[in-house]
Amino acid sequence: MATPVSVLRLPKGPDPNSRGFDPRSPRFIALCRTSICTSAASEADPEQLQREQHARSVLRESFLRCLLSMTDKKVQFHMHEKVKVAATFGASDIDVLNFQVSNLHTPIGVQKEALIRCQDVISFTFDA
Amino acid sequence: MAMRQTPLTCSGHTRPVVDLAFSGITPYGYFLISACKDGKPMLRQGDTGDWIGTFLGHKGAVWGATLNTDATKAATAAADFTAKVWDAVSGDEVLTLAHKHIVKTVNFTQDSNCLLTAGNDKLLRIFDLSNPEAAPQEIAGHTSAIKKALWCNDDKQILSAADDKTIRLWDRSSMEVVKTLTFDTSVSSMEYVADGEILVITYGKTIAFYNALSLDLIKSVEAPATINSASLHPEKDFFVAGGEDFKLYKFDYSSMEELESYKGHFGPVHCVRFSPDGELYASGSEDGTLRLWQTAVGKTYGLWKCVLPEDLGAENSEQLYTPAPEIKA
């Protein structure tokens, strides 16, 4: 009888908690841009570039202030797969890859402390 | 000593897998995308079948999926009347292209700048991805839903297969039909092999090979069962086919002889494709799984490990998983 070919292991299946595309994989690190590039129009025109840079710094500052003002507030997160969860916001990590939250309300109960993966988040809202 | 093929099963989809495509060979290996009726196309590492990510966003069954050559972009065609373009590294949706009916097929040009789409509204559409707001170019002619549309002849021409039992060759610049092939029955699949300009077509139990430029028949063969998809090995020594009897068939391309058949799927095989290096082929089935099959059974490649008789029982051998013989129902 013929011997079946041996395998080292079976192919890895999907992670039930994430949509994948691991940001720590070598391909992601090499190919994924972590910031938006300068627009083509700005590369040509120095004045346009200055205006674009100014707009970028205004937006960045605004985003960072938003994260600061969210501390200890109740935030609603809209995530992939129609997931809507609410939690008390703690802090973000430096690359905005994870949000540290407390009292995360989920359909299966309240999690005292949790980390929310930013790439799974579509949007979030809170009352300032 | 004869070795028996061990297919690798990739689970994760919850409904039939209807289409699959490989990327080219990239510095990070090659990749595989699968289209599924569950609406969630998946990206996998091509040589191992390991899941990398799921493209989330479609609101209906995904009928077609493709990757560009360097696997940086993906495109999908769905029953929600849209085609979507994705960043295949981050998994983010980049573009949604609205259509008037179910979209069945998507294909990138070699430079990834244009996307060809087609589906149940019987029109071929060409989208300029650098200017997605602009209306696409539309090519009319088919009288039924288009099943598959592909760029060919260095992206200068388009091949389309539709339920009107024809395959048409179109010129991209003039948008006119150059040649039409008519069949007695609907064509179930079409594969374009650029190197050698060969078109692989399946209809009924027939697997046929045509010259992609002239649409002249090169040769054909009948399989033991109705075939849904076939693929030619990059070196053109073999071709594989799968269909309604759940089996995968391997043929010699020169002699057109059936060499082997493999059982494994629990439902009809909808799609089968060789990897870009020809070392394996992937099949997608009604049973919701993808299976990877070795071209050279017993060779060490990917997750398959060649074990010589003297290695068995060695003290320092790695942990190996040898599947138990399958119980036949």
Side-chain angles (χ1 to χ4, degrees):
Chain A
M1 199 191 85
T3 318
V5 178
S6 299
V7 295
L8 297 168
R9 57 169 173 84
L10 299 177
K12 293 182 198 154
D15 174 358
N17 304 317
S18 148
R19 67 185 175 106
F21 300 102
D22 186 3
R24 294 159 304 178
S25 74
R27 191 169 93 114
F28 191 106
I29 292 166
L31 298 177
C32 242
R33 288 191 265 244
T34 49
S35 63
I36 304 163
C37 296
T38 314
S39 68
S42 292
E43 264 168 36
D45 175 12
E47 231 193 84
Q48 167 93 327
L49 178 65
Q50 249 208 327
R51 283 200 297 270
E52 188 174 301
Q53 282 299 93
H54 178 73
R56 285 162 71 105
S57 46
V58 163
L59 288 169
R60 179 67 175 171
E61 190 180 328
S62 171
F63 177 68
L64 292 172
R65 288 192 187 282
C66 172
L67 287 181
L68 273 175
S69 71
M70 261 163 57
T71 319
D72 297 330
K73 296 232 169 62
K74 281 219 170 57
V75 180
Q76 253 231 342
F77 294 92
H78 293 251
M79 303 171 76
H80 283 286
E81 296 293 305
K82 299 194 180 69
V83 171
K84 275 195 206 141
V85 289
T88 305
F89 187 79
S92 167
D93 65 2
I94 190 143
D95 292 316
V96 196
L97 283 175
N98 295 290
F99 286 158
Q100 179 253 317
V101 297
S102 325
N103 289 325
L104 175 70
H105 288 256
T106 78
I108 53 162
V110 179
Q111 199 70 25
K112 270 183 97 173
E113 302 292 333
L115 274 182
I116 291 185
R117 219 178 340 232
C118 290
Q119 57 166 359
D120 295 339
V121 176
I122 298 171
S123 67
F124 55 86
T125 62
F126 68 103
D127 292 321
Chain B
M1 187 187 67
M3 298 292 293
R4 194 149 60 84
Q5 167 93 262
T6 303
L8 291 169
T9 304
C10 306
S11 56
H13 283 305
T14 53
R15 301 244 12 247
V17 176
V18 289
D19 193 23
L20 65 90
F22 279 99
S23 70
I25 298 172
T26 82
Y28 305 93
Y30 58 88
F31 300 85
L32 168 61
I33 187 171
S34 50
C36 182
K37 286 191 185 176
D38 63 12
K40 299 180 193 165
M42 290 186 179
L43 184 72
R44 295 178 187 272
Q45 193 70 43
D47 62 339
T48 57
D50 288 339
W51 174 81
I52 294 174
T54 304
F55 298 102
L56 297 175
H58 273 302
K59 296 183 174 68
V62 177
W63 287 101
T66 191
L67 290 167
N68 66 351
T69 314
D70 61 5
T72 51
K73 289 191 201 172
T76 51
D80 61 6
F81 294 19
T82 70
K84 285 182 193 275
V85 179
W86 312 79
D87 178 323
V89 184
S90 67
D92 293 332
E93 187 185 310
V94 167
L95 273 180
T96 296
L97 304 165
H99 291 65
K100 305 254 165 54
H101 211 307
I102 296 170
V103 194
K104 283 282 180 75
T105 173
V106 273
N107 196 233
F108 284 108
T109 47
Q110 284 162 81
D111 60 9
S112 314
N113 280 339
C114 289
L115 186 72
L116 173 65
T117 71
N120 289 11
D121 67 356
K122 312 169 200 168
L123 293 172
L124 292 159
R125 285 190 175 81
I126 301 167
F127 289 88
D128 177 355
L129 298 179
S130 53
N131 191 7
E133 306 292 311
Q137 288 181 291
E138 287 177 8
I139 302 176
H142 275 296
T143 55
S144 289
I146 299 171
K147 202 175 266 180
K148 195 91 183 170
L150 302 165
W151 293 103
C152 65
N153 192 7
D154 206 32
D155 299 338
K156 297 198 283 274
Q157 291 180 314
I158 292 167
L159 277 161
S160 58
D163 287 339
D164 58 13
K165 303 179 191 160
T166 69
I167 287 183
R168 295 178 204 220
L169 177 64
W170 312 80
D171 181 270
R172 184 210 182 143
S173 12
S174 70
M175 312 227 295
E176 301 277 309
V177 66
V178 169
K179 189 147 184 198
T180 304
L181 282 175
T182 311
F183 298 87
D184 293 326
T185 175
S186 245
V187 166
S188 47
S189 82
M190 198 167 68
E191 179 191 59
Y192 169 66
V193 180
D195 175 23
E197 296 288 346
I198 298 175
L199 187 63
V200 184
I201 296 169
T202 60
Y203 56 94
K205 293 186 186 174
T206 308
I207 305 150
F209 299 89
Y210 283 76
N211 176 305
L213 302 170
S214 64
L215 291 193
D216 290 329
L217 175 67
I218 301 170
K219 49 179 148 181
S220 68
V221 70
E222 276 231 337
T226 304
I227 295 298
N228 293 330
S229 179
S231 182
L232 181 63
H233 188 275
E235 248 108 272
K236 302 174 190 56
D237 30 19
F238 309 108
F239 60 97
V240 288
E244 294 295 306
D245 69 354
F246 313 173
K247 290 190 205 169
L248 266 292
Y249 291 94
K250 185 181 179 187
F251 290 81
D252 178 287
Y253 183 60
S254 335
S255 67
M256 299 298 260
E257 263 176 62
E258 184 192 316
L259 297 169
E260 281 268 21
S261 65
Y262 301 109
K263 288 189 199 173
H265 277 297
F266 296 103
V269 176
H270 290 305
C271 44
V272 61
R273 281 289 178 270
F274 264 107
S275 62
D277 63 2
E279 295 283 353
L280 59 82
Y281 43 101
S283 57
S285 166
E286 184 76 10
D287 67 11
T289 67
L290 274 112
R291 272 167 217 250
L292 302 181
W293 310 80
Q294 281 191 290
T295 304
V297 178
K299 185 175 174 181
T300 295
Y301 182 84
L303 297 175
W304 291 287
K305 176 100 173 134
C306 174
V307 178
L308 300 169
E310 50 266 27
D311 290 348
L312 289 166
E315 283 157 19
N316 59 347
S317 64
E318 302 158 39
Q319 273 281 2
L320 287 176
Y321 171 76
T322 309
E326 280 172 41
I327 299 164
K328 293 186 179 141

